[in-house]
Amino acid sequence: MLRQQRHSLALASRDYFHEWRISICFVLALAAVLGPMLVLFGLKFGIVGAMVEELVEDPLKREVRPVGSGRYDRAWIDRLRKREDVDFIVPRIRSIASTLSVSSEQAGRILQFEVIPSAPGDPLLDPQRPAPSGLDKVVLSASAAKKLQVAAGDRVEGSLLRQYNGRRERVSLPLQVAAIAPATAFSRDGLFASVALVEALEDFRDGHAVPALDWEGVTVVRDRHYTGFRLYARSIYDVAALQDSFERSGIDVRTRAADIESVRRMDRTLSAIYWAIALIGLGGFSLSLGASLWANVDRKRRELSVLRLVGFHTGEIILFPVVQGLYTAFFGWALACGIYGAAAWSINFMLAPQLESTQKICRLLPEHYAAALAITAGASMLAAILAGIRAARVEPSEGLREI
Amino acid sequence: MPASTPETIYQLKDVAKTRSSNGYTFGLRVPSLRICRGEKIALIGESGCGKSTLLDLLAFILQPSDAGDFSFCAGAAGTVDIGAAWRRQKRNRLAALRKAHMGYVMQTGGLLPYLNIYDNINLSRRMLGMPADDTVENLARELGLVRHLHKLPDALSTGERQRVAIGRALAHRPAIIIADEPTASVDPFAAEKIMSLFIGMVEERNITVIVASHAWRHIKQLGLRRLAHHTRRSADGRMIETVVSG
Ligand SMILES: Nc1ncnc2c1ncn2[C@@H]1O[C@H](COP(=O)(O)OP(=O)(O)OP(=O)(O)O)[C@@H](O)[C@H]1O
Ligand SMILES: [Mg+2]
């Protein structure tokens, strides 16, 4: 039985390549419809993809920032941290207290850095590199590290000053640079420190004692309050809901929700336009493919009748146009991918100056190519099977006597 | 086998085919026909009298409008009720019978344009999974086609193509060969030569043959049995009926 199918397959292939001129026409007709569709999809996917990627990749777009200062306790912060839609949250202290003078042996001058409370999982920091921890390991922003001329692993010296008991008091704080933050994450001079260290700095300035660092002062702080927080939503799609929830509880926050919404609206608009074109294109594509395969089977009725005459079964007759349809589908698809490749390359090349190096305006993923092949092969097979059944139904005597 | 002796290949009783178009009706009626193994049958008649219609019925490629009794017996398979197979639309069953037991030579064409002469002659053999021996070469030698074996059909003359078709019909050693005016498209001189060659090869292999032709004189010399038939026209000329028996 299998021998018969193999034979049928071999004959169908022979016929297809024997009639290479007509086969090329079918392949061209298919590629002429499929190629532009791929370009269209590549553009839609590339443009929207680049915008969404920019939004998703950039943690600043996920930030939810309280406006002004409030009064939040640790329990409230911890409750927020447990929320599904919150990726990261650390408390902030008063901004006056959150600066630190830092010097290094290499630079030989003292610089004022903004101190940013941080913790493992901080979206602004590289997850591959160590996070700030303890009271001595800090992460410097790229510009701060450059000014201090230090690299990860180097030591720097922090120093802070307070007015205590009517006199100026200065303490020094030996620090180690655990890592340097990516330049894109934070553009100013900053020092990412653990929450514990930030609290210690605030306590010292307020004249409290910090036993862990042997800093003297009045009582140790127990009931601590924060004036703000650094919060990042799990994804850009959670930002709007988070903003709503804060505003309902009376906390005024600032987010990029408007930006995000405009990109999403654009995505929806582009998608709608694309699908409208794609549906029309797919309709035309199926019709053209179906019609050409159908016409081809009709043209071959006599030859198929000869096969019927010498004893081919219905299934083997149907296999004939199916095999040829699959050849057309495959070659047409390959050519369409070629057309797409050339078009995409030139579009990306022309628009390269306007784009960041890695961005591509016209782009497809391997699964898109696979889907295109599957749809094409499926449509060809369907058309070929229908045409093949019709051919097999024709009485061989009719087919043979065709003029 | 009750009704037919073992030598009977075709047994037809009250088989009919009616075809009509544009108000004109053609009817072929076979009250009784029996064809035995090894017989050489000629079907001679004017154009349009229904020769092709009868041959197509006998080749199971045309469905009879009416089949009282239509049985086919070839070798080990036993007797097959063709009328019933048609009624139940068992086209694959009929195709399998053709494949195993039948060779068919058309008036023209019928070769696959994408296969070379060797593969065209070998088509049925390959379908039946027969071993690739020297059968095709031997046939080609007898038919004078050796130098064409690796050409495609479109590089051959009409007469050469007809000889290829004969080769293909013979190659798988069928029990029966049906030939519908196999020499109609070549000149009379070549036609006689090809027909003699064909009948000679069939005889040598003891194959039953049914051939339609209009050249009775020549056919008679080759010793074929002529099927009796007569054609009647209705008064207004709208109906033609051919009755065949033998
Ligand atoms: N498909 C068809 N539909 C209707 N009538 C048909 C059809 N095919 C043939 N006929 C009619 O059937 C009759 C017999 O046709 P057939 O082909 O059997 O003739 P024939 O004896 O083989 O003729 P020729 O010697 O010219 O080949 C003709 O009168 C023809 O008009
Ligand atoms: Mg005829």
Side-chain angles (χ1 to χ4, degrees):
Chain A
M1 212 61 225
L2 216 66
R3 171 172 46 84
Q4 267 308 325
Q5 263 89 49
R6 265 214 317 276
H7 190 201
S8 196
L9 206 134
L11 290 182
S13 312
R14 284 278 269 282
D15 185 24
Y16 192 79
F17 294 107
H18 174 70
E19 289 195 317
W20 58 273
R21 283 185 199 87
I22 288 169
S23 304
I24 284 177
C25 291
F26 285 137
V27 167
L28 284 177
L30 172 55
V33 186
L34 187 58
M37 291 233 330
L38 285 178
V39 175
L40 199 67
F41 189 78
L43 276 174
K44 185 254 172 193
F45 184 72
I47 293 171
V48 175
M51 286 188 310
V52 171
E53 200 164 280
E54 198 177 311
L55 281 179
V56 174
E57 299 274 287
D58 185 358
L60 294 178
K61 300 283 198 301
R62 289 190 279 132
E63 188 171 13
V64 177
R65 260 193 313 170
V67 181
S69 63
R71 210 177 136 75
Y72 313 104
D73 59 17
R74 186 172 278 280
W76 186 86
I77 299 274
D78 286 342
R79 264 205 312 284
L80 267 181
R81 185 175 291 124
K82 288 205 186 75
R83 277 181 65 144
E84 275 282 291
D85 50 359
V86 172
D87 175 41
F88 179 83
I89 180 170
V90 284
R92 262 185 196 286
I93 54 165
R94 289 195 324 276
S95 47
I96 319 154
S98 57
T99 55
L100 184 67
S101 310
V102 187
S103 63
S104 71
E105 275 178 23
Q106 293 89 328
R109 67 182 170 125
I110 297 169
L111 293 154
Q112 284 285 325
F113 289 163
E114 188 178 337
V115 178
I116 305 125
S118 176
D122 191 332
L124 293 187
L125 301 183
D126 186 344
Q128 310 299 333
R129 292 183 229 166
S133 64
L135 294 172
D136 59 341
K137 298 220 169 35
V138 297
V139 172
L140 292 179
S141 78
S143 71
K146 197 168 160 206
K147 284 182 186 154
L148 285 177
Q149 299 171 31
V150 292
D154 288 350
R155 306 205 141 267
V156 293
E157 184 84 8
S159 80
L160 49 167
L161 194 67
R162 71 175 170 189
Q163 209 71 28
Y164 181 62
N165 285 345
R167 57 192 170 85
R168 285 158 65 87
E169 193 176 57
R170 176 176 289 278
V171 289
S172 77
L173 179 62
L175 296 170
Q176 189 182 14
V177 181
I180 312 291
T184 48
F186 195 82
S187 51
R188 287 163 295 169
D189 296 344
L191 183 149
F192 292 84
S194 68
V195 174
L197 179 55
V198 172
E199 288 171 358
L201 300 183
E202 186 183 44
D203 290 352
F204 176 79
R205 291 227 165 80
D206 291 349
H208 292 293
V210 183
L213 287 167
D214 285 337
W215 291 339
E216 290 179 2
V218 289
T219 58
V220 174
V221 179
R222 297 206 182 284
D223 187 20
R224 187 184 299 281
H225 282 93
Y226 305 97
T227 59
F229 50 83
R230 283 181 60 214
L231 189 153
Y232 295 86
R234 182 183 49 185
S235 78
I236 52 167
Y237 307 110
D238 296 313
V239 169
L242 266 173
Q243 178 167 17
D244 273 359
S245 123
F246 276 118
E247 272 162 11
R248 255 181 281 118
S249 52
I251 301 166
D252 204 8
V253 292
R254 194 146 293 160
T255 64
R256 299 293 194 85
D259 279 7
I260 294 167
E261 186 46 35
S262 81
V263 169
R264 295 180 68 190
R265 200 162 34 232
M266 185 135 147
D267 179 15
R268 281 197 293 271
T269 312
L270 279 176
S271 294
I273 294 173
Y274 172 76
W275 283 117
I277 298 174
L279 280 179
I280 296 168
L282 199 70
F285 164 74
S286 313
L287 277 181
S288 96
L289 187 64
S292 71
L293 285 171
W294 185 276
N296 197 32
V297 171
D298 236 36
R299 194 172 59 85
K300 287 190 183 301
R301 254 211 340 220
R302 193 181 149 93
E303 277 167 38
L304 292 176
S305 289
V306 170
L307 294 180
R308 197 66 161 153
L309 176 68
V310 297
F312 271 65
H313 280 199
T314 307
E316 293 147 15
I317 296 278
I318 294 173
L319 194 61
F320 218 78
V322 167
V323 168
Q324 300 190 338
L326 287 179
Y327 274 126
T328 298
F330 180 75
F331 292 129
W333 169 80
L335 184 58
C337 288
I339 292 172
Y340 164 79
W345 183 85
S346 28
I347 290 171
N348 290 330
F349 179 76
M350 279 188 303
L351 295 178
Q354 281 107 293
L355 298 171
E356 285 171 30
S357 58
T358 55
Q359 271 184 344
K360 287 212 161 66
I361 276 289
C362 194
R363 184 162 91 94
L364 286 183
L365 300 178
E367 48 262 44
H368 294 141
Y369 293 102
L373 180 59
I375 290 174
T376 313
S380 316
M381 231 146 84
L382 190 69
I385 287 176
L386 291 179
I389 288 175
R390 204 172 79 101
R393 283 245 178 88
V394 172
E395 238 170 340
S397 137
E398 296 290 310
L400 289 173
R401 309 256 179 264
E402 255 173 23
I403 319 157
Chain B
M1 271 157 260
S4 49
T5 65
E7 294 92 20
T8 306
I9 288 190
Y10 284 104
Q11 176 82 54
L12 283 78
K13 225 175 209 98
D14 296 324
V15 174
K17 174 73 190 177
T18 330
R19 345 176 72 159
S20 44
S21 62
N22 282 336
Y24 289 84
T25 308
F26 170 80
L28 175 81
R29 210 151 57 76
V30 187
S32 162
L33 174 66
R34 195 177 138 207
I35 296 171
C36 295
R37 179 175 298 277
E39 264 198 292
K40 298 195 294 296
I41 310 274
L43 198 54
I44 314 290
E46 57 176 297
S47 174
C49 73
K51 303 184 294 295
S52 299
T53 308
L54 179 62
L55 291 187
D56 286 357
L57 287 176
L58 294 177
F60 323 139
I61 55 176
L62 183 67
Q63 181 166 14
S65 339
D66 204 0
D69 177 22
F70 186 168
S71 58
F72 176 75
C73 174
T79 308
V80 183
D81 187 344
I82 302 300
W86 271 117
R87 275 191 295 278
R88 278 182 262 139
Q89 290 294 322
K90 297 219 174 272
R91 286 152 180 267
N92 285 345
R93 175 97 179 84
L94 296 173
L97 284 178
R98 276 200 299 278
K99 176 161 80 178
H101 306 296
M102 213 175 273
Y104 194 102
V105 186
M106 284 196 274
Q107 191 166 333
T108 47
L111 302 180
L112 296 175
Y114 45 87
L115 293 184
N116 66 23
I117 301 312
Y118 183 98
D119 289 333
N120 258 299
I121 294 178
N122 201 34
L123 183 66
S124 291
R125 289 183 62 81
R126 190 160 163 209
M127 282 173 67
L128 291 165
M130 292 172 127
D133 53 17
D134 53 2
T135 310
V136 176
E137 279 87 353
N138 289 338
L139 277 171
R141 198 168 310 114
E142 277 189 73
L143 291 161
L145 293 169
V146 175
R147 65 202 171 88
H148 302 303
L149 273 178
H150 298 289
K151 291 183 185 170
L152 290 177
D154 59 7
L156 265 60
S157 76
T158 314
E160 287 164 342
R161 285 183 211 169
Q162 283 311 99
R163 280 183 272 155
V164 176
I166 291 170
R168 188 180 71 196
L170 282 162
H172 58 301
R173 292 197 159 269
I176 176 159
I177 292 184
I178 292 175
D180 189 359
E181 305 198 50
T183 57
S185 53
V186 294
D187 66 88
F189 182 67
E192 285 196 4
K193 269 181 67 177
I194 294 177
M195 190 62 91
S196 307
L197 181 61
F198 174 45
I199 298 299
M201 290 172 84
V202 166
E203 221 156 30
E204 204 175 282
R205 290 166 173 78
N206 195 28
I207 295 173
T208 313
V209 67
I210 307 169
V211 55
S213 178
H214 43 249
W216 171 236
R217 260 181 348 108
H218 180 62
I219 292 287
K220 201 171 162 189
Q221 290 164 13
L222 294 170
L224 273 70
R225 166 162 86 96
R226 182 177 177 171
L227 272 194
H229 69 86
H230 58 94
T231 305
R232 276 196 328 235
R233 261 161 227 274
S234 67
D236 58 358
R238 283 189 169 268
M239 242 182 65
I240 303 174
E241 191 187 45
T242 297
V243 181
V244 186
S245 54

